[in-house]
Amino acid sequence: DAKTTQPNSMESNEEEPVHLPCNHSTISGTDYIHWYRQLPSQGPEYVIHGLTSNVNNRMASLAIAEDRKSSTLILHRATLRDAAVYYCILWAGTASKLTFGTGTRLQVTL
Amino acid sequence: DAGVIQSPRHEVTEMGQEVTLRCKPISGHNSLFWYRQTMMRGLELLIYFNNNVPIDDSGMPEDRFSAKMPNASFSTLKIQPSEPRDSAVYFCASSRDTVYGYTFGSGTRLTVV
């Protein structure tokens, strides 16, 4: 499985934008980039995914580098409820599995 | 849609006892996954099923662990005999076998004393 590298932790102020980086230099052409987050005492939750183009949904935006070797999850206005561990995962498609790394622990302060 | 339903939410058992964790996936989802999470090892995939058939059980730690999916709406993960090092949160997840990600249950917190 191709690996991803994320910072262990990040901090943000409430209502500020947050950019969570992820490096995946060994990504293959068919790997999707998935982001999940895990709130305290809950199971992981799907956030967003992309293949080549930038993506937006109600939760976040995903910016994918042109060479696809890195991506950034963007939370446009962080709230205290966004404090969680964020996982960047490469997914090879149907019949493959999601392998979680250690993720980035995001702290949001007032 | 009630989401992925796991039971029990919490289980405390004595070493050597059999433990059975249960999962009801979302209706219409044809892939099911069992994960285990500990502070030391993070989230580990134990086994996954596609159309009720086990596809990859390489993450099952040892023969004490077994998983079944007798039909599309039910799966069990059994540990027999249980040991203190099995203490963890066990998550079940399901997906529609598409790119749109997995839905996780709330987990079962297992404590083996």
Side-chain angles (χ1 to χ4, degrees), chain A residues 28-68:
Chain A
S28 74
T30 54
D31 285 340
Y32 289 85
I33 302 160
H34 276 242
W35 283 82
Y36 282 72
R37 72 178 185 181
Q38 187 172 19
L39 302 171
S41 301
Q42 295 189 27
E45 172 188 32
Y46 166 82
V47 177
I48 200 167
H49 77 275
L51 184 61
T52 56
S53 304
N54 295 343
V55 184
N56 300 298
N57 66 20
R58 64 177 179 80
M59 289 181 73
S61 296
L62 177 59
I64 301 173
E66 208 167 312
D67 64 5
R68 298 204 335 123

Short mmCIF file of all heavy atoms in Angstrom, two decimals, chain A residues 28-68:
data_model
loop_
_atom_site.label_atom_id
_atom_site.label_comp_id
_atom_site.label_asym_id
_atom_site.label_seq_id
_atom_site.Cartn_x
_atom_site.Cartn_y
_atom_site.Cartn_z
N SER A 28 -0.06 5.94 -6.82
CA SER A 28 -0.17 5.41 -8.18
C SER A 28 -1.31 6.13 -8.90
O SER A 28 -2.13 6.80 -8.28
CB SER A 28 -0.43 3.90 -8.15
OG SER A 28 -1.76 3.65 -7.75
N GLY A 29 -1.34 5.96 -10.21
CA GLY A 29 -2.29 6.71 -11.01
C GLY A 29 -3.75 6.45 -10.71
O GLY A 29 -4.60 7.29 -10.98
N THR A 30 -4.04 5.30 -10.12
CA THR A 30 -5.43 4.94 -9.86
C THR A 30 -5.82 5.09 -8.40
O THR A 30 -6.95 4.78 -8.03
CB THR A 30 -5.70 3.49 -10.28
OG1 THR A 30 -4.74 2.64 -9.63
CG2 THR A 30 -5.55 3.34 -11.79
N ASP A 31 -4.91 5.55 -7.56
CA ASP A 31 -5.22 5.72 -6.14
C ASP A 31 -6.08 6.96 -5.92
O ASP A 31 -5.74 8.05 -6.39
CB ASP A 31 -3.95 5.88 -5.30
CG ASP A 31 -3.19 4.59 -5.10
OD1 ASP A 31 -3.82 3.51 -5.26
OD2 ASP A 31 -2.00 4.65 -4.76
N TYR A 32 -7.16 6.79 -5.16
CA TYR A 32 -7.94 7.92 -4.71
C TYR A 32 -7.36 8.44 -3.39
O TYR A 32 -6.78 7.67 -2.62
CB TYR A 32 -9.40 7.51 -4.45
CG TYR A 32 -10.19 7.22 -5.69
CD1 TYR A 32 -10.16 5.96 -6.29
CD2 TYR A 32 -10.98 8.21 -6.28
CE1 TYR A 32 -10.89 5.70 -7.43
CE2 TYR A 32 -11.72 7.95 -7.42
CZ TYR A 32 -11.67 6.70 -7.99
OH TYR A 32 -12.39 6.43 -9.12
N ILE A 33 -7.51 9.72 -3.15
CA ILE A 33 -7.07 10.33 -1.90
C ILE A 33 -8.31 10.54 -1.04
O ILE A 33 -9.23 11.27 -1.42
CB ILE A 33 -6.38 11.68 -2.15
CG1 ILE A 33 -5.19 11.49 -3.08
CG2 ILE A 33 -5.95 12.31 -0.82
CD1 ILE A 33 -4.74 12.77 -3.76
N HIS A 34 -8.34 9.85 0.08
CA HIS A 34 -9.47 9.94 0.99
C HIS A 34 -9.05 10.64 2.28
O HIS A 34 -7.93 10.44 2.76
CB HIS A 34 -9.97 8.54 1.36
CG HIS A 34 -10.91 7.95 0.36
ND1 HIS A 34 -12.21 7.63 0.68
CD2 HIS A 34 -10.75 7.63 -0.93
CE1 HIS A 34 -12.81 7.14 -0.38
NE2 HIS A 34 -11.95 7.13 -1.38
N TRP A 35 -9.97 11.39 2.86
CA TRP A 35 -9.77 11.97 4.18
C TRP A 35 -10.91 11.53 5.10
O TRP A 35 -12.09 11.59 4.72
CB TRP A 35 -9.72 13.50 4.11
CG TRP A 35 -8.43 14.04 3.59
CD1 TRP A 35 -8.06 14.16 2.29
CD2 TRP A 35 -7.34 14.55 4.36
NE1 TRP A 35 -6.80 14.70 2.20
CE2 TRP A 35 -6.33 14.96 3.46
CE3 TRP A 35 -7.10 14.71 5.73
CZ2 TRP A 35 -5.12 15.51 3.88
CZ3 TRP A 35 -5.91 15.26 6.15
CH2 TRP A 35 -4.94 15.65 5.22
N TYR A 36 -10.51 11.10 6.27
CA TYR A 36 -11.46 10.77 7.33
C TYR A 36 -11.06 11.57 8.57
O TYR A 36 -9.92 12.02 8.69
CB TYR A 36 -11.39 9.28 7.68
CG TYR A 36 -12.11 8.38 6.70
CD1 TYR A 36 -11.59 8.15 5.44
CD2 TYR A 36 -13.31 7.78 7.05
CE1 TYR A 36 -12.26 7.33 4.54
CE2 TYR A 36 -13.99 6.96 6.16
CZ TYR A 36 -13.46 6.74 4.91
OH TYR A 36 -14.12 5.93 4.02
N ARG A 37 -11.99 11.71 9.48
CA ARG A 37 -11.65 12.30 10.76
C ARG A 37 -12.30 11.48 11.87
O ARG A 37 -13.31 10.80 11.65
CB ARG A 37 -12.09 13.75 10.85
CG ARG A 37 -13.58 13.98 10.97
CD ARG A 37 -13.87 15.46 11.09
NE ARG A 37 -15.29 15.73 11.32
CZ ARG A 37 -15.79 16.95 11.44
NH1 ARG A 37 -15.00 18.02 11.36
NH2 ARG A 37 -17.08 17.11 11.64
N GLN A 38 -11.67 11.53 13.03
CA GLN A 38 -12.20 10.79 14.17
C GLN A 38 -12.33 11.75 15.35
O GLN A 38 -11.32 12.22 15.89
CB GLN A 38 -11.30 9.61 14.53
CG GLN A 38 -11.90 8.71 15.60
CD GLN A 38 -11.10 7.45 15.82
OE1 GLN A 38 -9.93 7.36 15.45
NE2 GLN A 38 -11.73 6.44 16.41
N LEU A 39 -13.57 12.04 15.68
CA LEU A 39 -13.85 12.87 16.85
C LEU A 39 -13.63 12.04 18.11
O LEU A 39 -13.69 10.80 18.05
CB LEU A 39 -15.28 13.39 16.78
CG LEU A 39 -15.63 14.21 15.53
CD1 LEU A 39 -17.12 14.49 15.46
CD2 LEU A 39 -14.85 15.50 15.50
N PRO A 40 -13.40 12.68 19.22
CA PRO A 40 -13.17 11.93 20.47
C PRO A 40 -14.30 10.96 20.78
O PRO A 40 -15.47 11.29 20.67
CB PRO A 40 -13.09 13.05 21.53
CG PRO A 40 -12.63 14.25 20.77
CD PRO A 40 -13.26 14.13 19.41
N SER A 41 -13.92 9.73 21.10
CA SER A 41 -14.85 8.66 21.50
C SER A 41 -15.85 8.28 20.40
O SER A 41 -16.92 7.76 20.69
CB SER A 41 -15.64 9.08 22.75
OG SER A 41 -14.76 9.35 23.81
N GLN A 42 -15.49 8.52 19.15
CA GLN A 42 -16.35 8.12 18.04
C GLN A 42 -15.56 7.33 17.01
O GLN A 42 -14.33 7.32 17.02
CB GLN A 42 -16.97 9.35 17.38
CG GLN A 42 -17.92 10.12 18.28
CD GLN A 42 -18.67 11.18 17.52
OE1 GLN A 42 -18.89 11.09 16.31
NE2 GLN A 42 -19.08 12.23 18.22
N GLY A 43 -16.28 6.69 16.11
CA GLY A 43 -15.63 6.02 15.00
C GLY A 43 -15.20 7.03 13.94
O GLY A 43 -15.69 8.15 13.91
N PRO A 44 -14.30 6.63 13.07
CA PRO A 44 -13.89 7.53 11.98
C PRO A 44 -15.09 7.91 11.11
O PRO A 44 -16.05 7.15 10.98
CB PRO A 44 -12.88 6.69 11.19
CG PRO A 44 -12.35 5.71 12.17
CD PRO A 44 -13.51 5.39 13.06
N GLU A 45 -14.98 9.09 10.53
CA GLU A 45 -16.07 9.65 9.72
C GLU A 45 -15.48 10.10 8.39
O GLU A 45 -14.46 10.82 8.37
CB GLU A 45 -16.67 10.82 10.49
CG GLU A 45 -17.68 11.64 9.75
CD GLU A 45 -18.08 12.90 10.51
OE1 GLU A 45 -17.23 13.45 11.25
OE2 GLU A 45 -19.23 13.34 10.36
N TYR A 46 -16.11 9.72 7.30
CA TYR A 46 -15.66 10.15 5.97
C TYR A 46 -15.80 11.66 5.85
O TYR A 46 -16.81 12.24 6.26
CB TYR A 46 -16.51 9.44 4.91
CG TYR A 46 -16.41 10.03 3.52
CD1 TYR A 46 -15.35 9.69 2.68
CD2 TYR A 46 -17.36 10.92 3.04
CE1 TYR A 46 -15.25 10.22 1.40
CE2 TYR A 46 -17.26 11.45 1.78
CZ TYR A 46 -16.22 11.10 0.96
OH TYR A 46 -16.12 11.64 -0.30
N VAL A 47 -14.76 12.31 5.29
CA VAL A 47 -14.82 13.75 5.08
C VAL A 47 -14.94 14.09 3.61
O VAL A 47 -15.88 14.77 3.18
CB VAL A 47 -13.56 14.44 5.68
CG1 VAL A 47 -13.59 15.94 5.40
CG2 VAL A 47 -13.47 14.18 7.18
N ILE A 48 -14.00 13.60 2.80
CA ILE A 48 -13.95 14.00 1.40
C ILE A 48 -13.00 13.07 0.67
O ILE A 48 -12.16 12.42 1.30
CB ILE A 48 -13.51 15.48 1.28
CG1 ILE A 48 -13.90 16.09 -0.06
CG2 ILE A 48 -12.01 15.62 1.56
CD1 ILE A 48 -13.74 17.62 -0.08
N HIS A 49 -13.11 13.00 -0.65
CA HIS A 49 -12.13 12.25 -1.42
C HIS A 49 -11.95 12.93 -2.78
O HIS A 49 -12.81 13.70 -3.23
CB HIS A 49 -12.55 10.79 -1.61
CG HIS A 49 -13.62 10.60 -2.65
ND1 HIS A 49 -14.96 10.74 -2.38
CD2 HIS A 49 -13.52 10.30 -3.97
CE1 HIS A 49 -15.66 10.52 -3.47
NE2 HIS A 49 -14.82 10.26 -4.45
N GLY A 50 -10.85 12.58 -3.44
CA GLY A 50 -10.60 13.11 -4.77
C GLY A 50 -9.61 12.22 -5.52
O GLY A 50 -8.94 11.38 -4.93
N LEU A 51 -9.52 12.47 -6.82
CA LEU A 51 -8.60 11.69 -7.65
C LEU A 51 -7.55 12.62 -8.27
O LEU A 51 -6.36 12.46 -8.04
CB LEU A 51 -9.36 10.94 -8.74
CG LEU A 51 -8.54 10.01 -9.62
CD1 LEU A 51 -7.89 8.91 -8.79
CD2 LEU A 51 -9.40 9.41 -10.73
N THR A 52 -8.00 13.60 -9.03
CA THR A 52 -7.06 14.52 -9.65
C THR A 52 -7.46 15.98 -9.43
O THR A 52 -6.61 16.84 -9.20
CB THR A 52 -6.95 14.28 -11.16
OG1 THR A 52 -8.27 14.38 -11.72
CG2 THR A 52 -6.38 12.91 -11.47
N SER A 53 -8.76 16.25 -9.50
CA SER A 53 -9.22 17.63 -9.39
C SER A 53 -9.53 18.01 -7.95
O SER A 53 -9.84 17.15 -7.12
CB SER A 53 -10.48 17.82 -10.23
OG SER A 53 -10.26 17.45 -11.57
N ASN A 54 -9.48 19.30 -7.69
CA ASN A 54 -9.89 19.80 -6.37
C ASN A 54 -11.38 19.52 -6.16
O ASN A 54 -12.16 19.49 -7.12
CB ASN A 54 -9.60 21.29 -6.26
CG ASN A 54 -8.12 21.58 -6.31
OD1 ASN A 54 -7.29 20.69 -6.12
ND2 ASN A 54 -7.79 22.83 -6.56
N VAL A 55 -11.75 19.32 -4.92
CA VAL A 55 -13.11 18.93 -4.59
C VAL A 55 -13.61 19.78 -3.43
O VAL A 55 -12.84 20.14 -2.53
CB VAL A 55 -13.16 17.43 -4.17
CG1 VAL A 55 -14.61 17.00 -3.92
CG2 VAL A 55 -12.51 16.55 -5.21
N ASN A 56 -14.90 20.07 -3.46
CA ASN A 56 -15.54 20.78 -2.35
C ASN A 56 -16.78 20.02 -1.92
O ASN A 56 -17.50 19.48 -2.77
CB ASN A 56 -15.96 22.19 -2.79
CG ASN A 56 -14.80 23.03 -3.24
OD1 ASN A 56 -13.90 23.31 -2.48
ND2 ASN A 56 -14.82 23.43 -4.51
N ASN A 57 -17.02 19.98 -0.62
CA ASN A 57 -18.32 19.53 -0.13
C ASN A 57 -18.68 20.37 1.09
O ASN A 57 -17.98 21.33 1.42
CB ASN A 57 -18.35 18.02 0.14
CG ASN A 57 -17.46 17.58 1.28
OD1 ASN A 57 -17.07 18.39 2.13
ND2 ASN A 57 -17.12 16.30 1.30
N ARG A 58 -19.77 20.00 1.74
CA ARG A 58 -20.24 20.85 2.83
C ARG A 58 -19.31 20.85 4.03
O ARG A 58 -19.35 21.72 4.88
CB ARG A 58 -21.64 20.41 3.27
CG ARG A 58 -21.69 19.02 3.84
CD ARG A 58 -23.08 18.65 4.34
NE ARG A 58 -23.11 17.28 4.85
CZ ARG A 58 -22.69 16.94 6.06
NH1 ARG A 58 -22.23 17.86 6.89
NH2 ARG A 58 -22.73 15.69 6.45
N MET A 59 -18.46 19.82 4.10
CA MET A 59 -17.57 19.73 5.27
C MET A 59 -16.23 20.42 5.04
O MET A 59 -15.66 21.01 5.96
CB MET A 59 -17.30 18.26 5.61
CG MET A 59 -18.48 17.53 6.19
SD MET A 59 -18.07 15.83 6.60
CE MET A 59 -17.05 16.05 8.04
N ALA A 60 -15.70 20.28 3.82
CA ALA A 60 -14.32 20.73 3.60
C ALA A 60 -14.04 20.85 2.11
O ALA A 60 -14.90 20.54 1.27
CB ALA A 60 -13.35 19.71 4.22
N SER A 61 -12.82 21.28 1.81
CA SER A 61 -12.31 21.28 0.44
C SER A 61 -11.04 20.46 0.41
O SER A 61 -10.31 20.38 1.40
CB SER A 61 -12.01 22.70 -0.03
OG SER A 61 -13.18 23.46 -0.10
N LEU A 62 -10.78 19.87 -0.73
CA LEU A 62 -9.57 19.08 -0.94
C LEU A 62 -8.83 19.66 -2.13
O LEU A 62 -9.37 19.71 -3.24
CB LEU A 62 -9.91 17.61 -1.19
CG LEU A 62 -8.75 16.67 -1.49
CD1 LEU A 62 -7.75 16.65 -0.34
CD2 LEU A 62 -9.26 15.25 -1.78
N ALA A 63 -7.59 20.09 -1.87
CA ALA A 63 -6.74 20.62 -2.93
C ALA A 63 -5.68 19.58 -3.22
O ALA A 63 -4.95 19.14 -2.32
CB ALA A 63 -6.11 21.93 -2.49
N ILE A 64 -5.58 19.16 -4.48
CA ILE A 64 -4.65 18.12 -4.90
C ILE A 64 -3.60 18.73 -5.80
O ILE A 64 -3.93 19.42 -6.78
CB ILE A 64 -5.39 16.99 -5.64
CG1 ILE A 64 -6.47 16.39 -4.73
CG2 ILE A 64 -4.41 15.90 -6.10
CD1 ILE A 64 -7.37 15.39 -5.43
N ALA A 65 -2.34 18.49 -5.47
CA ALA A 65 -1.25 19.01 -6.28
C ALA A 65 -1.32 18.44 -7.69
O ALA A 65 -1.83 17.34 -7.91
CB ALA A 65 0.09 18.67 -5.64
N GLU A 66 -0.75 19.20 -8.63
CA GLU A 66 -0.83 18.77 -10.03
C GLU A 66 -0.15 17.42 -10.26
O GLU A 66 -0.63 16.61 -11.05
CB GLU A 66 -0.15 19.84 -10.91
CG GLU A 66 -0.70 19.89 -12.31
CD GLU A 66 -0.25 21.14 -13.05
OE1 GLU A 66 -0.35 22.25 -12.47
OE2 GLU A 66 0.21 21.00 -14.19
N ASP A 67 0.93 17.16 -9.56
CA ASP A 67 1.63 15.87 -9.70
C ASP A 67 1.04 14.81 -8.78
O ASP A 67 1.52 13.67 -8.75
CB ASP A 67 3.14 16.01 -9.45
CG ASP A 67 3.46 16.44 -8.03
OD1 ASP A 67 2.53 16.55 -7.21
OD2 ASP A 67 4.63 16.69 -7.73
N ARG A 68 0.05 15.16 -8.02
CA ARG A 68 -0.68 14.27 -7.10
C ARG A 68 0.18 13.72 -5.97
O ARG A 68 -0.24 12.82 -5.26
CB ARG A 68 -1.34 13.09 -7.85
CG ARG A 68 -2.35 13.53 -8.85
CD ARG A 68 -3.42 12.52 -9.23
NE ARG A 68 -3.09 11.14 -9.05
CZ ARG A 68 -3.80 10.30 -8.29
NH1 ARG A 68 -4.85 10.73 -7.62
NH2 ARG A 68 -3.46 9.03 -8.21
#
